[in-house]
mmCIF file of all heavy atoms in Angstrom:
data_model
loop_
_atom_site.group_PDB
_atom_site.id
_atom_site.type_symbol
_atom_site.label_atom_id
_atom_site.label_comp_id
_atom_site.label_asym_id
_atom_site.label_seq_id
_atom_site.Cartn_x
_atom_site.Cartn_y
_atom_site.Cartn_z
ATOM 1 N N ASP A 1482 8.288 5.270 -11.776
ATOM 2 C CA ASP A 1482 8.571 5.890 -13.074
ATOM 3 C C ASP A 1482 7.364 6.714 -13.514
ATOM 4 O O ASP A 1482 6.332 6.158 -13.895
ATOM 5 C CB ASP A 1482 8.886 4.806 -14.097
ATOM 6 C CG ASP A 1482 9.190 5.354 -15.487
ATOM 7 O OD1 ASP A 1482 9.210 6.594 -15.673
ATOM 8 O OD2 ASP A 1482 9.406 4.530 -16.393
ATOM 9 N N GLU A 1483 7.508 8.026 -13.445
ATOM 10 C CA GLU A 1483 6.410 8.931 -13.807
ATOM 11 C C GLU A 1483 5.986 8.777 -15.265
ATOM 12 O O GLU A 1483 4.862 9.116 -15.624
ATOM 13 C CB GLU A 1483 6.826 10.385 -13.567
ATOM 14 C CG GLU A 1483 7.046 10.711 -12.123
ATOM 15 C CD GLU A 1483 7.497 12.139 -11.906
ATOM 16 O OE1 GLU A 1483 7.075 13.035 -12.675
ATOM 17 O OE2 GLU A 1483 8.272 12.365 -10.963
ATOM 18 N N ASP A 1484 6.868 8.262 -16.103
ATOM 19 C CA ASP A 1484 6.565 8.122 -17.526
ATOM 20 C C ASP A 1484 5.919 6.781 -17.878
ATOM 21 O O ASP A 1484 5.562 6.549 -19.034
ATOM 22 C CB ASP A 1484 7.850 8.286 -18.352
ATOM 23 C CG ASP A 1484 8.434 9.683 -18.204
ATOM 24 O OD1 ASP A 1484 7.656 10.650 -18.060
ATOM 25 O OD2 ASP A 1484 9.686 9.803 -18.201
ATOM 26 N N SER A 1485 5.769 5.921 -16.894
ATOM 27 C CA SER A 1485 5.161 4.621 -17.140
ATOM 28 C C SER A 1485 3.693 4.797 -17.530
ATOM 29 O O SER A 1485 2.967 5.582 -16.930
ATOM 30 C CB SER A 1485 5.249 3.748 -15.878
ATOM 31 O OG SER A 1485 4.453 2.588 -16.032
ATOM 32 N N GLU A 1486 3.246 4.024 -18.507
ATOM 33 C CA GLU A 1486 1.841 4.113 -18.911
ATOM 34 C C GLU A 1486 0.918 3.515 -17.844
ATOM 35 O O GLU A 1486 -0.279 3.748 -17.855
ATOM 36 C CB GLU A 1486 1.620 3.442 -20.259
ATOM 37 C CG GLU A 1486 1.898 1.962 -20.275
ATOM 38 C CD GLU A 1486 1.752 1.347 -21.662
ATOM 39 O OE1 GLU A 1486 2.206 1.975 -22.646
ATOM 40 O OE2 GLU A 1486 1.176 0.249 -21.744
ATOM 41 N N ASN A 1487 1.488 2.746 -16.895
ATOM 42 C CA ASN A 1487 0.708 2.123 -15.829
ATOM 43 C C ASN A 1487 0.908 2.798 -14.474
ATOM 44 O O ASN A 1487 0.627 2.195 -13.438
ATOM 45 C CB ASN A 1487 1.078 0.639 -15.697
ATOM 46 C CG ASN A 1487 0.712 -0.145 -16.928
ATOM 47 O OD1 ASN A 1487 -0.356 0.047 -17.491
ATOM 48 N ND2 ASN A 1487 1.603 -1.013 -17.357
ATOM 49 N N ILE A 1488 1.409 4.038 -14.459
ATOM 50 C CA ILE A 1488 1.773 4.692 -13.205
ATOM 51 C C ILE A 1488 0.612 4.769 -12.212
ATOM 52 O O ILE A 1488 0.797 4.527 -11.018
ATOM 53 C CB ILE A 1488 2.385 6.092 -13.446
ATOM 54 C CG1 ILE A 1488 2.925 6.690 -12.136
ATOM 55 C CG2 ILE A 1488 1.390 7.036 -14.085
ATOM 56 C CD1 ILE A 1488 4.084 5.952 -11.534
ATOM 57 N N ILE A 1489 -0.587 5.053 -12.669
ATOM 58 C CA ILE A 1489 -1.727 5.165 -11.747
ATOM 59 C C ILE A 1489 -2.009 3.818 -11.092
ATOM 60 O O ILE A 1489 -2.166 3.726 -9.864
ATOM 61 C CB ILE A 1489 -2.986 5.705 -12.464
ATOM 62 C CG1 ILE A 1489 -2.733 7.113 -13.027
ATOM 63 C CG2 ILE A 1489 -4.181 5.703 -11.514
ATOM 64 C CD1 ILE A 1489 -2.347 8.153 -11.989
ATOM 65 N N ASN A 1490 -2.052 2.750 -11.889
ATOM 66 C CA ASN A 1490 -2.279 1.410 -11.332
ATOM 67 C C ASN A 1490 -1.170 1.007 -10.370
ATOM 68 O O ASN A 1490 -1.437 0.406 -9.320
ATOM 69 C CB ASN A 1490 -2.406 0.367 -12.436
ATOM 70 C CG ASN A 1490 -3.714 0.487 -13.188
ATOM 71 O OD1 ASN A 1490 -4.680 1.031 -12.682
ATOM 72 N ND2 ASN A 1490 -3.727 -0.011 -14.410
ATOM 73 N N GLU A 1491 0.082 1.336 -10.704
ATOM 74 C CA GLU A 1491 1.212 1.012 -9.831
ATOM 75 C C GLU A 1491 1.081 1.738 -8.494
ATOM 76 O O GLU A 1491 1.293 1.132 -7.435
ATOM 77 C CB GLU A 1491 2.525 1.386 -10.511
ATOM 78 C CG GLU A 1491 2.856 0.501 -11.695
ATOM 79 C CD GLU A 1491 4.033 1.020 -12.517
ATOM 80 O OE1 GLU A 1491 4.813 1.859 -12.001
ATOM 81 O OE2 GLU A 1491 4.182 0.583 -13.665
ATOM 82 N N LEU A 1492 0.729 3.009 -8.521
ATOM 83 C CA LEU A 1492 0.591 3.787 -7.288
ATOM 84 C C LEU A 1492 -0.580 3.283 -6.440
ATOM 85 O O LEU A 1492 -0.468 3.175 -5.220
ATOM 86 C CB LEU A 1492 0.429 5.277 -7.597
ATOM 87 C CG LEU A 1492 1.678 5.975 -8.122
ATOM 88 C CD1 LEU A 1492 1.325 7.382 -8.597
ATOM 89 C CD2 LEU A 1492 2.776 6.020 -7.068
ATOM 90 N N VAL A 1493 -1.695 2.964 -7.088
ATOM 91 C CA VAL A 1493 -2.870 2.463 -6.350
ATOM 92 C C VAL A 1493 -2.557 1.108 -5.725
ATOM 93 O O VAL A 1493 -2.847 0.873 -4.542
ATOM 94 C CB VAL A 1493 -4.110 2.395 -7.264
ATOM 95 C CG1 VAL A 1493 -5.247 1.632 -6.600
ATOM 96 C CG2 VAL A 1493 -4.572 3.802 -7.635
ATOM 97 N N ASP A 1494 -1.951 0.186 -6.486
ATOM 98 C CA ASP A 1494 -1.584 -1.123 -5.948
ATOM 99 C C ASP A 1494 -0.605 -0.983 -4.792
ATOM 100 O O ASP A 1494 -0.725 -1.663 -3.773
ATOM 101 C CB ASP A 1494 -0.971 -2.013 -7.030
ATOM 102 C CG ASP A 1494 -1.987 -2.602 -7.978
ATOM 103 O OD1 ASP A 1494 -3.202 -2.469 -7.710
ATOM 104 O OD2 ASP A 1494 -1.568 -3.201 -8.990
ATOM 105 N N ASN A 1495 0.357 -0.096 -4.948
ATOM 106 C CA ASN A 1495 1.349 0.130 -3.907
ATOM 107 C C ASN A 1495 0.703 0.675 -2.641
ATOM 108 O O ASN A 1495 0.965 0.188 -1.538
ATOM 109 C CB ASN A 1495 2.417 1.090 -4.440
ATOM 110 C CG ASN A 1495 3.508 1.347 -3.437
ATOM 111 O OD1 ASN A 1495 3.457 2.336 -2.713
ATOM 112 N ND2 ASN A 1495 4.497 0.478 -3.409
ATOM 113 N N LYS A 1496 -0.172 1.654 -2.799
ATOM 114 C CA LYS A 1496 -0.874 2.246 -1.655
ATOM 115 C C LYS A 1496 -1.710 1.181 -0.953
ATOM 116 O O LYS A 1496 -1.717 1.092 0.280
ATOM 117 C CB LYS A 1496 -1.751 3.402 -2.138
ATOM 118 C CG LYS A 1496 -2.541 4.084 -1.061
ATOM 119 C CD LYS A 1496 -1.640 4.837 -0.124
ATOM 120 C CE LYS A 1496 -2.106 6.268 0.001
ATOM 121 N NZ LYS A 1496 -1.196 7.044 0.834
ATOM 122 N N GLU A 1497 -2.419 0.368 -1.730
ATOM 123 C CA GLU A 1497 -3.225 -0.708 -1.154
ATOM 124 C C GLU A 1497 -2.360 -1.641 -0.313
ATOM 125 O O GLU A 1497 -2.743 -2.038 0.793
ATOM 126 C CB GLU A 1497 -3.904 -1.502 -2.272
ATOM 127 C CG GLU A 1497 -4.731 -2.667 -1.781
ATOM 128 C CD GLU A 1497 -5.315 -3.459 -2.940
ATOM 129 O OE1 GLU A 1497 -4.543 -4.143 -3.657
ATOM 130 O OE2 GLU A 1497 -6.539 -3.397 -3.129
ATOM 131 N N GLY A 1498 -1.182 -1.975 -0.804
ATOM 132 C CA GLY A 1498 -0.286 -2.862 -0.068
ATOM 133 C C GLY A 1498 0.174 -2.266 1.249
ATOM 134 O O GLY A 1498 0.185 -2.939 2.286
ATOM 135 N N TRP A 1499 0.536 -0.994 1.234
ATOM 136 C CA TRP A 1499 0.996 -0.359 2.476
ATOM 137 C C TRP A 1499 -0.149 -0.163 3.468
ATOM 138 O O TRP A 1499 0.033 -0.354 4.674
ATOM 139 C CB TRP A 1499 1.722 0.950 2.194
ATOM 140 C CG TRP A 1499 3.054 0.756 1.535
ATOM 141 C CD1 TRP A 1499 3.457 1.244 0.329
ATOM 142 C CD2 TRP A 1499 4.166 0.013 2.050
ATOM 143 N NE1 TRP A 1499 4.737 0.846 0.064
ATOM 144 C CE2 TRP A 1499 5.199 0.092 1.104
ATOM 145 C CE3 TRP A 1499 4.384 -0.725 3.219
ATOM 146 C CZ2 TRP A 1499 6.439 -0.533 1.293
ATOM 147 C CZ3 TRP A 1499 5.616 -1.340 3.411
ATOM 148 C CH2 TRP A 1499 6.626 -1.237 2.450
ATOM 149 N N VAL A 1500 -1.331 0.204 2.986
ATOM 150 C CA VAL A 1500 -2.479 0.329 3.893
ATOM 151 C C VAL A 1500 -2.778 -1.026 4.520
ATOM 152 O O VAL A 1500 -3.029 -1.130 5.728
ATOM 153 C CB VAL A 1500 -3.725 0.890 3.162
ATOM 154 C CG1 VAL A 1500 -4.985 0.736 4.006
ATOM 155 C CG2 VAL A 1500 -3.508 2.351 2.783
ATOM 156 N N TYR A 1501 -2.718 -2.090 3.734
ATOM 157 C CA TYR A 1501 -2.978 -3.424 4.251
ATOM 158 C C TYR A 1501 -1.931 -3.818 5.299
ATOM 159 O O TYR A 1501 -2.257 -4.316 6.378
ATOM 160 C CB TYR A 1501 -3.024 -4.439 3.106
ATOM 161 C CG TYR A 1501 -3.257 -5.839 3.598
ATOM 162 C CD1 TYR A 1501 -4.467 -6.190 4.192
ATOM 163 C CD2 TYR A 1501 -2.263 -6.794 3.513
ATOM 164 C CE1 TYR A 1501 -4.686 -7.472 4.679
ATOM 165 C CE2 TYR A 1501 -2.475 -8.075 3.993
ATOM 166 C CZ TYR A 1501 -3.684 -8.403 4.573
ATOM 167 O OH TYR A 1501 -3.883 -9.664 5.052
ATOM 168 N N MET A 1502 -0.638 -3.603 4.991
ATOM 169 C CA MET A 1502 0.415 -3.944 5.944
ATOM 170 C C MET A 1502 0.232 -3.170 7.247
ATOM 171 O O MET A 1502 0.337 -3.734 8.344
ATOM 172 C CB MET A 1502 1.797 -3.663 5.347
ATOM 173 C CG MET A 1502 2.959 -4.052 6.274
ATOM 174 S SD MET A 1502 3.401 -2.816 7.525
ATOM 175 C CE MET A 1502 4.192 -1.566 6.538
ATOM 176 N N LEU A 1503 -0.070 -1.873 7.165
ATOM 177 C CA LEU A 1503 -0.249 -1.068 8.374
ATOM 178 C C LEU A 1503 -1.491 -1.498 9.159
ATOM 179 O O LEU A 1503 -1.495 -1.475 10.389
ATOM 180 C CB LEU A 1503 -0.309 0.417 8.028
ATOM 181 C CG LEU A 1503 1.028 1.034 7.588
ATOM 182 C CD1 LEU A 1503 0.811 2.454 7.079
ATOM 183 C CD2 LEU A 1503 2.059 0.995 8.706
ATOM 184 N N THR A 1504 -2.530 -1.918 8.467
ATOM 185 C CA THR A 1504 -3.728 -2.436 9.136
ATOM 186 C C THR A 1504 -3.390 -3.723 9.889
ATOM 187 O O THR A 1504 -3.812 -3.917 11.041
ATOM 188 C CB THR A 1504 -4.853 -2.685 8.114
ATOM 189 O OG1 THR A 1504 -5.158 -1.453 7.462
ATOM 190 C CG2 THR A 1504 -6.104 -3.240 8.782
ATOM 191 N N CYS A 1505 -2.615 -4.600 9.264
ATOM 192 C CA CYS A 1505 -2.176 -5.832 9.923
ATOM 193 C C CYS A 1505 -1.292 -5.513 11.126
ATOM 194 O O CYS A 1505 -1.414 -6.152 12.182
ATOM 195 C CB CYS A 1505 -1.431 -6.731 8.941
ATOM 196 S SG CYS A 1505 -2.458 -7.422 7.633
ATOM 197 N N LEU A 1506 -0.418 -4.513 10.977
ATOM 198 C CA LEU A 1506 0.439 -4.089 12.079
ATOM 199 C C LEU A 1506 -0.401 -3.582 13.247
ATOM 200 O O LEU A 1506 -0.156 -3.928 14.402
ATOM 201 C CB LEU A 1506 1.413 -3.005 11.605
ATOM 202 C CG LEU A 1506 2.329 -2.394 12.667
ATOM 203 C CD1 LEU A 1506 3.277 -3.437 13.248
ATOM 204 C CD2 LEU A 1506 3.106 -1.225 12.061
ATOM 205 N N LYS A 1507 -1.416 -2.782 12.963
ATOM 206 C CA LYS A 1507 -2.301 -2.252 14.004
ATOM 207 C C LYS A 1507 -3.019 -3.392 14.739
ATOM 208 O O LYS A 1507 -3.068 -3.424 15.970
ATOM 209 C CB LYS A 1507 -3.303 -1.275 13.395
ATOM 210 C CG LYS A 1507 -4.193 -0.585 14.416
ATOM 211 C CD LYS A 1507 -5.034 0.483 13.732
ATOM 212 C CE LYS A 1507 -5.890 1.245 14.716
ATOM 213 N NZ LYS A 1507 -5.150 2.143 15.596
ATOM 214 N N GLY A 1508 -3.562 -4.339 13.991
ATOM 215 C CA GLY A 1508 -4.244 -5.481 14.599
ATOM 216 C C GLY A 1508 -3.308 -6.292 15.478
ATOM 217 O O GLY A 1508 -3.662 -6.697 16.594
ATOM 218 N N TYR A 1509 -2.092 -6.510 15.006
ATOM 219 C CA TYR A 1509 -1.095 -7.283 15.740
ATOM 220 C C TYR A 1509 -0.651 -6.553 17.005
ATOM 221 O O TYR A 1509 -0.610 -7.138 18.093
ATOM 222 C CB TYR A 1509 0.101 -7.545 14.816
ATOM 223 C CG TYR A 1509 1.277 -8.216 15.461
ATOM 224 C CD1 TYR A 1509 1.197 -9.522 15.928
ATOM 225 C CD2 TYR A 1509 2.495 -7.548 15.573
ATOM 226 C CE1 TYR A 1509 2.296 -10.144 16.507
ATOM 227 C CE2 TYR A 1509 3.595 -8.163 16.140
ATOM 228 C CZ TYR A 1509 3.495 -9.458 16.609
ATOM 229 O OH TYR A 1509 4.585 -10.069 17.176
ATOM 230 N N MET A 1510 -0.335 -5.261 16.870
ATOM 231 C CA MET A 1510 0.194 -4.509 18.004
ATOM 232 C C MET A 1510 -0.870 -4.193 19.052
ATOM 233 O O MET A 1510 -0.607 -4.267 20.243
ATOM 234 C CB MET A 1510 0.845 -3.206 17.516
ATOM 235 C CG MET A 1510 2.050 -3.397 16.612
ATOM 236 S SD MET A 1510 3.414 -4.367 17.322
ATOM 237 C CE MET A 1510 3.865 -3.395 18.728
ATOM 238 N N GLU A 1511 -2.064 -3.825 18.620
ATOM 239 C CA GLU A 1511 -3.089 -3.382 19.567
ATOM 240 C C GLU A 1511 -3.941 -4.527 20.116
ATOM 241 O O GLU A 1511 -4.399 -4.460 21.258
ATOM 242 C CB GLU A 1511 -3.997 -2.341 18.918
ATOM 243 C CG GLU A 1511 -3.299 -1.027 18.647
ATOM 244 C CD GLU A 1511 -4.218 0.034 18.074
ATOM 245 O OE1 GLU A 1511 -5.456 -0.167 18.016
ATOM 246 O OE2 GLU A 1511 -3.700 1.093 17.660
ATOM 247 N N TYR A 1512 -4.148 -5.568 19.308
ATOM 248 C CA TYR A 1512 -5.089 -6.613 19.702
ATOM 249 C C TYR A 1512 -4.504 -8.025 19.689
ATOM 250 O O TYR A 1512 -5.198 -8.986 20.037
ATOM 251 C CB TYR A 1512 -6.331 -6.571 18.798
ATOM 252 C CG TYR A 1512 -6.989 -5.218 18.798
ATOM 253 C CD1 TYR A 1512 -6.798 -4.337 17.749
ATOM 254 C CD2 TYR A 1512 -7.762 -4.816 19.887
ATOM 255 C CE1 TYR A 1512 -7.381 -3.072 17.768
ATOM 256 C CE2 TYR A 1512 -8.346 -3.556 19.912
ATOM 257 C CZ TYR A 1512 -8.148 -2.689 18.851
ATOM 258 O OH TYR A 1512 -8.718 -1.440 18.878
#
């Protein structure tokens, strides 16, 4: 929701979650 007063925090938290999941995926798949 672009009109949410917490949009920046929501996007940052969301990005952090996906970066973390992809990092875990990389560790699992490669190592």
Side-chain angles (χ1 to χ4, degrees):
D1482 180 3
E1483 294 178 33
D1484 296 326
S1485 169
E1486 63 184 42
N1487 295 318
I1488 187 65
I1489 299 301
N1490 288 338
E1491 291 170 18
L1492 289 171
V1493 169
D1494 283 351
N1495 182 264
K1496 179 68 127 184
E1497 178 183 70
W1499 290 121
V1500 168
Y1501 179 67
M1502 182 277 287
L1503 289 172
T1504 301
C1505 292
L1506 177 64
K1507 185 173 183 71
Y1509 174 66
M1510 297 302 299
E1511 291 183 8
Y1512 304 102

